[in-house]
Amino acid sequence: PNTRVTHRHGALQGHDAAMERPLQRRTGGVRDFQEIPHTGSNGWINLLRFWKDGRFSLLHKHMESTFRRLGPIYREYLGSQSSVNIMLPMDIGEVFRSEGLHPRRMTLQPWATHRETRRHSKGIFLKNGTEWRADRLLLNREVMVTSAVRRFLPLLDDVAQDFCRSLRHRVETEGVGETGQRSMTLDPSPDLFRFALEASCHVLYGERIGLFSSSPSEEAERFIWAIERMLATTLPLLYLPPRLLLALRAPLWTQHATAWDHIFSHAEARIQPSDGRFLGVLGQLMEAGRLSSELIKANITELMAGGVDTTAVPLQFALFEMARNPGVQERVRAQVLSSWQQASGSPQKALQGAPLLKGTIKETLRLYPVGITVQRYPVRDIVLQNYHVPAGTLVQVCLYPLGRSPEVFERPERFEPSRWSLDAASGGGFRSLAFGFGSRQCVGRRIAENEMQLLLMHILRNFKLTVSSTEELNTKYTLILQPESPPRITFTTRSL
C-alpha cells in the first residue's frame, strides 16, 4: 500500500523511523551493497568503452542484455555517474515508497549549467526540494487537474482535426487509386513534429502558428531542429563536467547552448500578450499571479521543449504498430467510430467512450518508452532483491527491459491495447511508468496523453493504415527512444 506522508516535519521523521525499523530486523540475511553485480567498477574506463562501441545510442538494448546477464539488479558506473538499475515491479514499488515528500531524480546538469550561465530561472524540471514542490503544486492547477484538461481538450482537438483535414487533402490530390479510396505512402514524421509543435503552441500560448499550410515557417523548422540538436547533445554531456567543457569552449557544449538559446528565443517571442492579454496555459498562470513572470517563462519553455519530440515520436510508433496489426487497428477503430457518433462533437466524451485509445498509447509506450529510465534517490535505506541500498543512492527503473519482460507481461512481443483494460484486475501496479510516477511524474502528462489519443482518433476515422513490411523497427536512443529510420506508412482514405 502507498504510505501516507504527513506534512508536519516531526510526523515525517517518525514515519521514516517507523519504516526503517522493519529494515533493521530484516538485515540478518540481507546482502551488502558492494555485492550487487556490476558492469565494471571504473566509471571512466566504462565511459570510454561506451563511446568506442557506440553504446549510447543503444543504451536501452545494453540495459536489456545486462539484466539478462547479471539478473534483475545491477550497478553501473559511467564517468562521474553511478546508479543501481532495476526492472521488476516489486522493486520499483519499494523505490517509490521511499521517495519522500520531495522526490528527486537525476539532474540534467547540461540544462542546469545553461540556465546558470545565461542567468535564466530554472523551471520545475531542474528544481528539487521545497522550491520544486511549491512551483509544482501551482503548475498542476493549470495542466494536470480535470478542470484544466477540460479547458485545453477543445484546443488539442482543433489541431488534430486540422491535421487530418490537411493530410486527407494531400492524399486525395496526390495519392493513387479510385475516388474515396485514395492511397499515399509517406514518412509521417515531419508532419507529426509539426502537429506536436502546433498543438503545444495552441495549448501553452493560446495561438495557432499555421504549420499545416503548404509552406510551414522557417522559424518552426528551426525550432524543431533546435530541439533535436539539444536532445542529441544532452546525452554525451551528461557524463562529463559541463563547467570544464564551457571553460574549454568545447564544440559539443557550444552546440548544446546554442540550441537552448534558440528554444528560449522562440518561447520569448511567444510570451507576448495578444491584444493586451495572455491566452492558453500561459494566460492562466499570468492571471493567477502566483508565479513570477521569470518562473512562468522558465516553466513554459521547458514544457514547450519537452512536448514536441516526446509526442511526435510515440505517434510514429503507434501508427506503425496499428498498421502492422490490422486486427488491432479494426478493433480500436470500431470503438472510436461508435464513441465519436455518440459524443456529438465533444472530444471529452469521445475519448471516454474509447478506452482502447488510451490502451494504444500505454501499449506503444510499453514497447517504446520515450525516456528509458525513471530515477529516484530514496530518502531512507531500502532492500532491493535482498541487497541493502543506502539512502541517497541513484536508483534507475529501466523501462525498456521492463516493458519487454515475459516475467512482467504475458506475450510481451504482442501489441495488444486491450491488455490495459484488464490491468486493474491483474494487480498490475508499477508496470506503466512512461510518464513517471507520483508527484514527480511528467507535468505535461495530461496534455501529451490527450494530444496523442485525439490525433489517433481522427486518423482512424479518416484513414486505413498499412505497411509494406511488418519487420521489427530498429530503435536508437538520443535522450529519447526513436526509430533508427522513420517507418513509411500507407494512408488510405475512408468515407466519413
Side-chain angles (χ1 to χ4, degrees), residues 117-315:
T117 55
R118 298 295 194 265
R119 292 188 165 78
H120 289 310
S121 294
K122 289 176 184 171
I124 56 162
F125 195 82
L126 296 171
K127 284 185 175 178
N128 285 302
T130 51
E131 195 186 14
W132 160 80
R133 186 173 175 81
D135 290 3
R136 175 69 197 236
L137 290 173
L138 292 174
L139 273 175
N140 282 352
R141 294 179 194 176
E142 307 309 336
V143 291
M144 289 291 277
V145 300
T146 309
S147 57
V149 175
R150 268 201 300 272
R151 267 198 307 272
F152 63 65
L153 262 185
L155 305 180
L156 291 174
D157 192 54
D158 279 352
V159 180
Q161 294 214 48
D162 279 359
F163 174 91
C164 286
R165 272 192 287 271
S166 165
L167 182 57
R168 190 177 179 107
H169 176 73
R170 193 167 144 206
V171 175
E172 282 170 347
T173 51
E174 299 171 38
V176 295
E178 57 198 68
T179 308
Q181 277 198 317
R182 306 279 283 174
S183 288
M184 188 174 178
T185 303
L186 59 119
D187 160 16
S189 60
D191 299 300
L192 293 173
F193 279 103
R194 285 194 282 268
F195 161 73
L197 181 51
E198 183 87 7
S200 290
C201 281
H202 202 24
V203 168
L204 296 178
Y205 308 126
E207 67 164 49
R208 293 292 299 269
I209 54 176
L211 290 182
F212 305 148
S213 63
S214 50
S215 52
S217 73
E218 272 182 48
E219 167 60 18
E221 301 292 342
R222 274 202 304 275
F223 179 78
I224 290 168
W225 173 87
I227 297 278
E228 288 172 343
R229 199 75 236 119
M230 178 273 288
L231 291 171
T233 50
T234 297
L235 192 62
L237 286 170
L238 272 183
Y239 306 98
L240 297 164
R243 291 279 174 185
L244 176 64
L245 297 174
L246 178 63
L248 295 172
R249 295 186 178 163
L252 189 64
W253 170 257
T254 308
Q255 286 178 35
H256 184 74
T258 305
W260 265 123
D261 289 344
H262 191 84
I263 293 165
F264 266 84
S265 67
H266 180 273
E268 187 89 51
R270 305 243 134 23
I271 302 177
Q272 307 295 338
S274 169
D275 301 327
R277 66 193 192 95
F278 293 98
L279 304 168
V281 170
L282 173 67
Q284 299 289 333
L285 289 168
M286 287 291 201
E287 278 172 34
R290 294 187 188 96
L291 281 174
S292 71
S293 56
E294 271 303 302
L295 283 177
I296 291 172
K297 184 169 89 173
N299 282 298
I300 288 283
T301 305
E302 281 176 18
L303 275 166
M304 194 73 212
V308 178
D309 289 55
T310 52
T311 48
V313 171
L315 281 167

Side-chain angles (χ1 to χ4, degrees), residues 81-141:
Q81 300 277 4
S82 67
S83 66
V84 168
N85 292 3
I86 59 170
M87 59 163 281
L88 293 178
M90 61 180 283
D91 297 326
I92 297 167
E94 186 62 26
V95 169
F96 286 138
R97 282 189 285 273
S98 64
E99 65 177 9
L101 187 60
H102 305 121
R104 195 157 67 91
R105 57 183 174 206
M106 190 169 81
T107 298
L108 290 178
Q109 198 51 54
W111 296 19
T113 303
H114 172 266
R115 304 302 186 274
E116 288 154 16
T117 55
R118 298 295 194 265
R119 292 188 165 78
H120 289 310
S121 294
K122 289 176 184 171
I124 56 162
F125 195 82
L126 296 171
K127 284 185 175 178
N128 285 302
T130 51
E131 195 186 14
W132 160 80
R133 186 173 175 81
D135 290 3
R136 175 69 197 236
L137 290 173
L138 292 174
L139 273 175
N140 282 352
R141 294 179 194 176

